[in-house]
C-alpha cells in the first residue's frame, strides 16, 4: 500500500463506505431507521400517546362520577374530594347506587364497610369497587378508583397515628411529577439510543457472513489487504453508523423541546456499547460463516448480555437516563469509563483472534 495514499483512500475506509452505502438495499434496516427517525422527529407529539400506554393515569378521563355507599361512605367522600376529575354521590341505600350504575348515571360504585380487624382489636375499612368492563374508559375509571383508594389509605394512616403504640414509618410527601418527564427520560431516550448499536451489530453479522457465503471475500482479498483489514473496515462502518444516528436523534429531540444534557458523555457511552456489540457480530460472522446461525446466536447473546446488565450497580439504560437529565453520579461516569475500557479490550482480543484465522479456510 502506498505511503502517500490519502486517508480516505485507505482500504478499510473504502470498505466501510461501501458497506454503509449498501444499507439502502436492506429494506428491514431502512424501515427500522425510518421508524426511529419518525419517533425522534415527532417525539413531542408521540410522547402523549405513548405515555398513555405506559401510564394510563397520564390521560385525562374526564369527570368520573362515583357512587359511594356503606358505613364508611363519609371517609370515601373525603378521599375523593382530594382528587381532581372525580366527583362522588353518597347513597344510603346500596340498591339505589346499583340502579344508578346500571342506568349509567355513575361510572363506578365504591362500598366501604367497617369490618373487624384481622390483626387485633379494632376495625378496618373494607372497600368493594364495581366498575364497567370491556372498554378503554374502564381502564381510566380503574385508575381514578385507585387514586381514591390511595388517598383513603393515606388519610386513615394519618388519622390513626395517635392511637398506635409505636410511631409508623413516615409517609413520603406527595409530589406533582409529570408522567411525560418520566416516560421520556427513562423509556423513550434509552430506547432510541440503544436501538442503533443493536442494528449495527446485526448488520455487521450480515456483512461478514454474506461476503463468505457469496464468495466475494476472495474478490476483496485480491486487493493488497489482509483479512484483518477487511474486518476492520466492516466494523468501522457499523461503529460509525450508530453514534451518527444517536446524534441525529438527540438533535431531533432537542428540536422538539426535549432537552438532553451531557450529549458528549452519552455519545461516548453509546459508541462504546456499539463497539462491543459490533465486535461480537464480526467475531460470530467469521467463526460461524453462516448467516442464520450467526444471527440467531448474536440475537440470543445480545439479549442475555443486556438483560444480565441488571446485576451491575447501574443498568446501561439508567446510565443514559441519568446523563440525559443531568444527574450523573461518580458511578454513572464509572460505567461510561468501564464501557470504553471493555470496548477497547474486546476489540483488541477480537483482532488477535481474527489475525490468527487462516483466510484460505474461509
Amino acid at each position: 500500500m502506498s505511503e502517500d495514499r490519502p486517508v480516505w483512500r485507505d482500504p478499510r475506509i473504502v470498505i466501510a463506505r461501501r458497506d454503509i452505502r449498501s444499507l439502502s438495499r436492506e429494506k428491514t434496516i431502512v424501515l427500522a431507521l425510518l421508524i426511529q427517525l419518525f419517533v425522534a422527529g415527532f417525539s413531542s407529539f408521540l410522547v402523549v400517546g405513548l405515555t398513555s400506554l405506559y401510564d394510563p393515569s397520564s390521560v385525562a378521563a374526564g369527570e368520573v362520577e362515583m357512587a359511594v355507599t356503606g358505613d364508611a361512605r363519609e371517609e370515601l367522600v373525603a378521599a375523593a374530594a382530594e382528587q381532581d376529575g372525580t366527583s362522588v354521590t353518597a347513597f344510603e341505600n346500596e340498591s339505589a347506587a346499583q340502579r344508578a350504575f346500571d342506568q349509567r348515571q355513575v361510572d363506578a360504585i365504591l362500598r366501604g364497610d367497617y369490618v373487624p380487624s384481622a390483626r387485633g382489636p379494632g376495625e378496618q375499612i373494607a372497600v368493594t369497587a364495581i366498575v364497567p368492563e370491556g372498554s378503554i374508559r374502564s381502564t381510566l375509571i380503574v385508575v381514578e378508583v385507585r387514586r381514591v383508594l390511595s388517598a383513603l389509605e393515606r388519610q386513615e394512616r394519618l388519622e390513626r397515628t395517635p392511637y398506635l403504640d409505636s410511631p409508623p414509618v413516615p409517609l413520603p410527601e406527595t409530589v406533582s411529577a409529570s408522567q411525560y418527564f418520566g416516560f421520556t427520560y427513562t423509556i423513550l431516550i434509552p430506547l432510541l439510543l440503544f436501538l442503533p448499536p443493536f442494528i449495527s451489530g446485526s448488520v455487521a453479522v450480515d456483512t461478514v457472513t454474506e461476503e463468505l457465503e457469496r464468495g466475494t471475500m476472495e474478490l476483496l482479498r485480491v486487493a493488497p489487504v489482509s483479512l484483518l483489514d477487511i474486518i476492520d473496515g466492516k466494523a468501522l462502518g457499523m461503529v460509525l453508523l450508530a453514534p451518527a444516528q444517536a446524534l441525529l436523534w438527540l438533535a431531533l429531540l432537542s428540536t422538539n423541546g426535549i432537552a438532553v444534557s451531557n450529549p458528549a458523555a452519552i455519545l461516548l457511552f453509546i459508541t462504546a456499547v456499539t463497539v462491543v456489540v459490533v465486535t461480537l457480530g464480526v467475531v460470530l460472522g467469521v467463526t460461524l460463516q453462516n448467516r442464520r446461525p450467526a444471527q440467531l446466536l448474536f440475537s440470543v447473546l445480545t439479549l442475555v448480555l443486556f438483560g444480565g446488565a441488571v446485576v451491575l450497580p447501574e443498568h446501561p439504560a439508567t446510565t443514559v437516563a441519568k446523563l440525559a437529565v443531568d444527574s450523573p453520579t461518580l458511578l454513572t461516569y464509572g460505567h461510561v469509563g468501564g464501557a470504553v475500557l471493555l470496548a477497547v479490550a474486546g476489540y483488541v482480543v477480537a483482532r488477535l483472534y481474527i489475525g490468527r484465522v487462516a483466510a484460505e479456510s474461509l
Side-chain angles (χ1 to χ4, degrees):
M1 183 169 56
S2 174
E3 294 294 335
D4 58 353
R5 176 178 292 171
V7 174
W8 61 87
R9 296 295 298 171
D10 186 289
R12 290 167 293 189
I13 296 179
V14 172
I15 292 172
R17 290 205 310 265
R18 189 200 69 165
D19 285 347
I20 291 176
R21 286 197 301 265
S22 67
L23 287 179
S24 60
R25 298 192 297 270
E26 298 289 340
K27 295 181 181 180
T28 303
I29 301 300
V30 172
L31 180 60
L33 296 178
L34 290 177
I35 290 174
Q36 294 176 73
L37 178 63
F38 180 77
V39 172
F42 297 91
S43 52
S44 60
F45 171 75
L46 293 176
V47 73
V48 177
L50 294 173
T51 305
S52 66
L53 300 176
Y54 166 73
D55 183 6
S57 64
S58 63
V59 180
E63 189 75 12
V64 176
E65 180 70 30
M66 300 183 187
V68 296
T69 184
D71 300 334
R73 58 181 177 273
E74 293 183 2
E75 287 80 356
L76 288 170
V77 170
E82 301 178 7
Q83 308 303 311
D84 296 331
T86 300
S87 60
V88 295
T89 303
F91 289 84
E92 294 187 5
N93 191 324
E94 184 178 341
S95 59
Q98 186 64 49
R99 283 196 302 271
F101 178 77
D102 294 338
Q103 296 172 5
R104 298 186 178 180
Q105 297 175 0
V106 296
D107 298 305
I109 300 176
L110 296 181
R111 185 178 72 246
D113 297 307
Y114 286 103
V115 297
S117 174
R119 299 184 179 181
E123 295 180 322
Q124 63 185 25
I125 298 177
V127 180
T128 301
I130 301 176
V131 298
E133 61 179 358
S135 68
I136 296 177
R137 182 169 171 79
S138 299
T139 303
L140 302 177
I141 293 172
V142 169
V143 170
E144 294 299 325
V145 169
R146 186 180 63 186
R147 286 177 174 174
V148 173
L149 296 181
S150 296
L152 175 64
E153 180 184 12
R154 180 181 291 271
Q155 172 184 295
E156 289 299 310
R157 285 178 181 272
L158 292 175
E159 290 182 357
R160 300 187 185 202
T161 296
Y163 302 99
L164 299 177
D165 297 331
S166 58
V169 176
L171 292 173
E173 296 182 1
T174 56
V175 294
S176 55
S178 171
Q179 295 90 347
Y180 302 113
F181 180 88
F183 175 80
T184 299
Y185 288 96
T186 62
I187 302 295
L188 181 61
I189 291 178
L191 179 65
L192 285 174
L193 295 182
F194 279 114
L195 279 177
F198 294 139
I199 291 176
S200 293
S202 178
V203 175
V205 175
D206 282 351
T207 58
V208 173
T209 54
E210 285 182 1
E211 299 281 13
L212 296 172
E213 289 179 345
R214 295 176 181 177
T216 52
M217 184 69 76
E218 288 298 323
L219 296 178
L220 289 175
R221 292 184 58 243
V222 169
V225 292
S226 65
L227 174 64
L228 198 55
D229 290 333
I230 295 172
I231 299 301
D232 278 343
K234 291 184 172 298
L236 177 62
M238 297 305 105
V239 168
L240 293 177
L241 183 63
Q245 292 178 70
L247 181 61
L248 177 60
W249 303 161
L250 293 180
L252 291 172
L253 289 171
S254 178
T255 302
N256 279 267
I258 299 175
V260 180
S261 302
N262 303 299
I266 291 175
L267 289 176
L268 178 62
F269 184 63
I270 294 301
T271 302
V273 172
T274 305
V275 171
V276 172
V277 175
V278 169
T279 299
L280 176 63
V282 295
V283 168
L284 290 176
V286 171
T287 303
L288 298 179
Q289 305 178 25
N290 189 284
R291 182 178 181 274
R292 286 190 177 181
Q295 278 287 7
L296 177 60
L297 188 56
F298 171 79
S299 301
V300 172
L301 289 178
T302 50
L303 288 175
V304 170
L305 290 174
F306 196 72
V310 296
V311 302
L312 297 175
E314 188 175 279
H315 194 274
T318 304
T319 298
V320 168
K322 284 186 174 181
L323 290 170
V325 297
D326 199 19
S327 61
T329 62
L330 287 177
L331 180 61
T332 303
Y333 288 118
H335 271 239
V336 175
V340 172
L341 292 177
L342 177 62
V344 172
Y347 196 67
V348 168
V349 172
R351 291 186 93 253
L352 292 175
Y353 166 73
I354 295 173
R356 296 180 179 179
V357 174
E360 294 77 12
S361 65
L362 298 177

PDB file of all heavy atoms in Angstrom, residues 15-24 236-238 240-241:
ATOM      1  N   ILE A  15     -13.892   0.173   2.315  1.00  0.00           N
ATOM      2  CA  ILE A  15     -14.816  -0.931   2.630  1.00  0.00           C
ATOM      3  C   ILE A  15     -15.944  -0.430   3.525  1.00  0.00           C
ATOM      4  O   ILE A  15     -17.115  -0.804   3.345  1.00  0.00           O
ATOM      5  CB  ILE A  15     -14.054  -2.090   3.302  1.00  0.00           C
ATOM      6  CG1 ILE A  15     -13.095  -2.737   2.300  1.00  0.00           C
ATOM      7  CG2 ILE A  15     -15.026  -3.134   3.850  1.00  0.00           C
ATOM      8  CD1 ILE A  15     -12.172  -3.763   2.921  1.00  0.00           C
ATOM      9  N   ALA A  16     -15.618   0.412   4.506  1.00  0.00           N
ATOM     10  CA  ALA A  16     -16.639   0.958   5.405  1.00  0.00           C
ATOM     11  C   ALA A  16     -17.665   1.772   4.621  1.00  0.00           C
ATOM     12  O   ALA A  16     -18.882   1.634   4.838  1.00  0.00           O
ATOM     13  CB  ALA A  16     -15.980   1.813   6.488  1.00  0.00           C
ATOM     14  N   ARG A  17     -17.190   2.613   3.686  1.00  0.00           N
ATOM     15  CA  ARG A  17     -18.121   3.415   2.879  1.00  0.00           C
ATOM     16  C   ARG A  17     -19.003   2.521   2.019  1.00  0.00           C
ATOM     17  O   ARG A  17     -20.201   2.759   1.867  1.00  0.00           O
ATOM     18  CB  ARG A  17     -17.331   4.390   1.990  1.00  0.00           C
ATOM     19  CG  ARG A  17     -16.642   5.508   2.742  1.00  0.00           C
ATOM     20  CD  ARG A  17     -16.422   6.720   1.818  1.00  0.00           C
ATOM     21  NE  ARG A  17     -15.785   6.319   0.562  1.00  0.00           N
ATOM     22  CZ  ARG A  17     -14.469   6.379   0.342  1.00  0.00           C
ATOM     23  NH1 ARG A  17     -13.647   6.792   1.303  1.00  0.00           N
ATOM     24  NH2 ARG A  17     -13.966   6.028  -0.838  1.00  0.00           N
ATOM     25  N   ARG A  18     -18.427   1.485   1.466  1.00  0.00           N
ATOM     26  CA  ARG A  18     -19.205   0.577   0.610  1.00  0.00           C
ATOM     27  C   ARG A  18     -20.307  -0.105   1.402  1.00  0.00           C
ATOM     28  O   ARG A  18     -21.446  -0.223   0.953  1.00  0.00           O
ATOM     29  CB  ARG A  18     -18.286  -0.470  -0.018  1.00  0.00           C
ATOM     30  CG  ARG A  18     -18.964  -1.316  -1.083  1.00  0.00           C
ATOM     31  CD  ARG A  18     -18.231  -2.604  -1.319  1.00  0.00           C
ATOM     32  NE  ARG A  18     -18.332  -3.498  -0.170  1.00  0.00           N
ATOM     33  CZ  ARG A  18     -18.036  -4.804  -0.207  1.00  0.00           C
ATOM     34  NH1 ARG A  18     -17.636  -5.341  -1.326  1.00  0.00           N
ATOM     35  NH2 ARG A  18     -18.137  -5.545   0.872  1.00  0.00           N
ATOM     36  N   ASP A  19     -19.990  -0.559   2.620  1.00  0.00           N
ATOM     37  CA  ASP A  19     -20.992  -1.251   3.441  1.00  0.00           C
ATOM     38  C   ASP A  19     -22.105  -0.308   3.870  1.00  0.00           C
ATOM     39  O   ASP A  19     -23.274  -0.701   3.925  1.00  0.00           O
ATOM     40  CB  ASP A  19     -20.317  -1.867   4.672  1.00  0.00           C
ATOM     41  CG  ASP A  19     -19.525  -3.116   4.328  1.00  0.00           C
ATOM     42  OD1 ASP A  19     -19.694  -3.630   3.215  1.00  0.00           O
ATOM     43  OD2 ASP A  19     -18.718  -3.566   5.174  1.00  0.00           O
ATOM     44  N   ILE A  20     -21.746   0.943   4.181  1.00  0.00           N
ATOM     45  CA  ILE A  20     -22.777   1.898   4.586  1.00  0.00           C
ATOM     46  C   ILE A  20     -23.715   2.196   3.412  1.00  0.00           C
ATOM     47  O   ILE A  20     -24.937   2.269   3.576  1.00  0.00           O
ATOM     48  CB  ILE A  20     -22.130   3.189   5.121  1.00  0.00           C
ATOM     49  CG1 ILE A  20     -21.425   2.908   6.460  1.00  0.00           C
ATOM     50  CG2 ILE A  20     -23.182   4.281   5.307  1.00  0.00           C
ATOM     51  CD1 ILE A  20     -20.679   4.092   7.024  1.00  0.00           C
ATOM     52  N   ARG A  21     -23.148   2.358   2.215  1.00  0.00           N
ATOM     53  CA  ARG A  21     -23.990   2.595   1.039  1.00  0.00           C
ATOM     54  C   ARG A  21     -24.903   1.408   0.743  1.00  0.00           C
ATOM     55  O   ARG A  21     -26.027   1.575   0.291  1.00  0.00           O
ATOM     56  CB  ARG A  21     -23.119   2.887  -0.182  1.00  0.00           C
ATOM     57  CG  ARG A  21     -22.486   4.267  -0.199  1.00  0.00           C
ATOM     58  CD  ARG A  21     -21.992   4.621  -1.598  1.00  0.00           C
ATOM     59  NE  ARG A  21     -21.017   3.637  -2.066  1.00  0.00           N
ATOM     60  CZ  ARG A  21     -19.702   3.773  -1.946  1.00  0.00           C
ATOM     61  NH1 ARG A  21     -19.200   4.847  -1.323  1.00  0.00           N
ATOM     62  NH2 ARG A  21     -18.874   2.849  -2.418  1.00  0.00           N
ATOM     63  N   SER A  22     -24.408   0.215   1.019  1.00  0.00           N
ATOM     64  CA  SER A  22     -25.205  -0.981   0.716  1.00  0.00           C
ATOM     65  C   SER A  22     -26.414  -1.124   1.632  1.00  0.00           C
ATOM     66  O   SER A  22     -27.315  -1.922   1.349  1.00  0.00           O
ATOM     67  CB  SER A  22     -24.332  -2.241   0.829  1.00  0.00           C
ATOM     68  OG  SER A  22     -23.940  -2.476   2.172  1.00  0.00           O
ATOM     69  N   LEU A  23     -26.458  -0.356   2.738  1.00  0.00           N
ATOM     70  CA  LEU A  23     -27.596  -0.455   3.654  1.00  0.00           C
ATOM     71  C   LEU A  23     -28.894  -0.022   2.996  1.00  0.00           C
ATOM     72  O   LEU A  23     -29.969  -0.423   3.426  1.00  0.00           O
ATOM     73  CB  LEU A  23     -27.347   0.407   4.899  1.00  0.00           C
ATOM     74  CG  LEU A  23     -26.307  -0.112   5.893  1.00  0.00           C
ATOM     75  CD1 LEU A  23     -26.156   0.859   7.042  1.00  0.00           C
ATOM     76  CD2 LEU A  23     -26.693  -1.483   6.410  1.00  0.00           C
ATOM     77  N   SER A  24     -28.801   0.822   1.960  1.00  0.00           N
ATOM     78  CA  SER A  24     -30.014   1.278   1.287  1.00  0.00           C
ATOM     79  C   SER A  24     -30.770   0.126   0.637  1.00  0.00           C
ATOM     80  O   SER A  24     -31.965   0.247   0.342  1.00  0.00           O
ATOM     81  CB  SER A  24     -29.667   2.334   0.235  1.00  0.00           C
ATOM     82  OG  SER A  24     -28.790   1.785  -0.741  1.00  0.00           O
ATOM     83  N   LEU A 236     -15.670  -0.802  11.203  1.00  0.00           N
ATOM     84  CA  LEU A 236     -15.612   0.657  11.276  1.00  0.00           C
ATOM     85  C   LEU A 236     -16.891   1.296  10.758  1.00  0.00           C
ATOM     86  O   LEU A 236     -17.433   2.229  11.369  1.00  0.00           O
ATOM     87  CB  LEU A 236     -14.408   1.167  10.479  1.00  0.00           C
ATOM     88  CG  LEU A 236     -14.246   2.694  10.390  1.00  0.00           C
ATOM     89  CD1 LEU A 236     -14.036   3.282  11.772  1.00  0.00           C
ATOM     90  CD2 LEU A 236     -13.100   3.054   9.462  1.00  0.00           C
ATOM     91  N   GLY A 237     -17.387   0.811   9.621  1.00  0.00           N
ATOM     92  CA  GLY A 237     -18.607   1.381   9.065  1.00  0.00           C
ATOM     93  C   GLY A 237     -19.782   1.263  10.009  1.00  0.00           C
ATOM     94  O   GLY A 237     -20.548   2.215  10.206  1.00  0.00           O
ATOM     95  N   MET A 238     -19.928   0.096  10.644  1.00  0.00           N
ATOM     96  CA  MET A 238     -21.054  -0.117  11.550  1.00  0.00           C
ATOM     97  C   MET A 238     -20.885   0.650  12.862  1.00  0.00           C
ATOM     98  O   MET A 238     -21.859   1.119  13.447  1.00  0.00           O
ATOM     99  CB  MET A 238     -21.225  -1.618  11.827  1.00  0.00           C
ATOM    100  CG  MET A 238     -21.562  -2.434  10.594  1.00  0.00           C
ATOM    101  SD  MET A 238     -23.022  -1.821   9.707  1.00  0.00           S
ATOM    102  CE  MET A 238     -22.255  -1.028   8.288  1.00  0.00           C
ATOM    103  N   LEU A 240     -19.382   3.553  13.201  1.00  0.00           N
ATOM    104  CA  LEU A 240     -19.652   4.965  12.937  1.00  0.00           C
ATOM    105  C   LEU A 240     -21.137   5.243  12.748  1.00  0.00           C
ATOM    106  O   LEU A 240     -21.617   6.349  13.026  1.00  0.00           O
ATOM    107  CB  LEU A 240     -18.890   5.418  11.692  1.00  0.00           C
ATOM    108  CG  LEU A 240     -17.364   5.456  11.802  1.00  0.00           C
ATOM    109  CD1 LEU A 240     -16.758   5.862  10.474  1.00  0.00           C
ATOM    110  CD2 LEU A 240     -16.920   6.404  12.910  1.00  0.00           C
ATOM    111  N   LEU A 241     -21.873   4.248  12.280  1.00  0.00           N
ATOM    112  CA  LEU A 241     -23.288   4.453  11.969  1.00  0.00           C
ATOM    113  C   LEU A 241     -24.117   4.728  13.222  1.00  0.00           C
ATOM    114  O   LEU A 241     -24.960   5.633  13.225  1.00  0.00           O
ATOM    115  CB  LEU A 241     -23.831   3.216  11.240  1.00  0.00           C
ATOM    116  CG  LEU A 241     -25.292   3.283  10.782  1.00  0.00           C
ATOM    117  CD1 LEU A 241     -25.466   4.393   9.754  1.00  0.00           C
ATOM    118  CD2 LEU A 241     -25.722   1.945  10.197  1.00  0.00           C
TER     119      LEU A 241
END
